[in-house]
Amino acid sequence: MDNEAAFDKFKSCTVEVLQVKPEQVTPDARFADDLDADSLDLVELVMALEEAFDITVDESELEGVETVEQAFSLISSKL
Amino acid sequence: MTGSSLERVVLVTGGSRGIGLACARHFLALGDRVAVTYRSTPPPAEDERLMALTCDVTEPDQVEEAFSQVEARWGPVQVLVANAGITRDLLLLRMKEDDWAAVVDTNLSGAWRVAKRAVGPMVRARSGRIVLISSVSGLMGVPGQSNYAAAKAGLVGLGRSLARELASRQVTVNVVAPGVVDTDMLRSLGEARVAEMKALVPLGRVAAPEEVAAAVGFLASTAASYITGAVLAVDGGLGMGL
C-alpha cells in the first residue's frame, strides 16, 4: 500500500471514530486539543486502525503519540 | 405487560440456575433475546428460548467463543449480567492456594474478562448495560469466605472503575449485592449455616432468586439510565449501612 492510500485509510478511520471532518485531520492536528479525543476515543481509534491495517499496536508504542502525524508514522512503520 | 420491547441482546454468565437463571427468565419475559453461559449444568429443558453456551469464564478463549456465537446469531451483547460464581468456603487456616485462586479467578477475574469482551461493541454503539453480581458477603465479611468475600468486594471496585471509564459512552455499570438467596449455592452450605444467616436478616427470610433478578432487570432498564456505579443491595436489610 502506498503512503497516500495509507493516509487516506488512516484519515477515514479517524473521521469515523472521532466523528470529525476530514479537513480537520491534518498532520499537526493534536488528538486531544484539536480533535477533541478523550482517552476512550484513542483506544477506539487504535483498535479501528489495528483492524483496518491488520497490525498490532503495543500500549507502550502509544507513549508520546499526540498528533496525527505521530500516529500515522507509527502505523506506517508497521506496514 | 410493562417493560422494554426493545428485544435487546442479553448475556447472563452462570445463567443456567439460581440467580443467573432468574435474571435470564426476567429478560426473556420482557421480550429480550437472552443467552446464558454455564460450565457444567445446562439450563432446564423448559427454558428452550434461551441460547445456552458452555463457557468457563476462567478461560479467555471460551469467553471469546461465547461472545462470537452470540454476535453471529443476534449481534453484539447490549446487556451483560456477570453472575458466574463459585464458593469454596474454608477458614483461612484450612484454605489452600487453589481454593483462593479458583474463587477469585471465577468470581472476579471472570467478570473482568466478560466485561472486557463486551465493552468494545457497547462503546461503539454508545450504549450498554453491565450489571455485576456481588454479594452482601463482600461488604460484611463472612467467616470461611475470605476468598468469596474478597472477590465479591472486588467487583465493586471493578464496577465503579468501569462506570467511570464508560460513562461518556452512556454505558452504565452497576453492582447488585444479594444477601441470602434460595439457590443451590446456598443449599450447599448446609441447613445449620443457612439458619444462622437467616436469623440475621431483618426481614426474617431468604430471598427468592426472582427478587434479585428484579433489581438486575431494573438496573438494565431505560428507567435506570441515570444510575451508574451504584451498589444495590437486595438482602432483606442484612447489610444495611455498608
Side-chain angles (χ1 to χ4, degrees), chain B residues 66 174 183 223:
Chain B
N174 291 289
T183 63

Tab-separated table of all heavy atoms in Angstrom, chain B residues 66 174 183 223:
chain	number	residue	atom	x	y	z
B	66	ALA	N	-17.875	-17.721	23.236
B	66	ALA	CA	-19.268	-17.497	23.630
B	66	ALA	C	-19.790	-16.195	23.036
B	66	ALA	O	-20.872	-16.150	22.447
B	66	ALA	CB	-19.394	-17.486	25.159
B	174	ASN	N	-23.312	-1.201	37.024
B	174	ASN	CA	-23.788	-1.212	38.397
B	174	ASN	C	-23.565	-2.572	39.035
B	174	ASN	O	-23.293	-3.558	38.348
B	174	ASN	CB	-25.281	-0.855	38.439
B	174	ASN	CG	-25.515	0.594	38.078
B	174	ASN	OD1	-25.185	1.492	38.854
B	174	ASN	ND2	-26.064	0.844	36.888
B	183	THR	N	-30.858	-20.649	46.545
B	183	THR	CA	-30.251	-21.251	45.347
B	183	THR	C	-29.468	-22.493	45.751
B	183	THR	O	-29.274	-22.746	46.937
B	183	THR	CB	-29.239	-20.294	44.696
B	183	THR	OG1	-28.172	-20.056	45.633
B	183	THR	CG2	-29.874	-18.974	44.315
B	223	ALA	N	-35.247	2.939	32.490
B	223	ALA	CA	-35.625	3.722	33.669
B	223	ALA	C	-34.411	4.007	34.554
B	223	ALA	O	-34.414	4.951	35.347
B	223	ALA	CB	-36.685	2.964	34.470
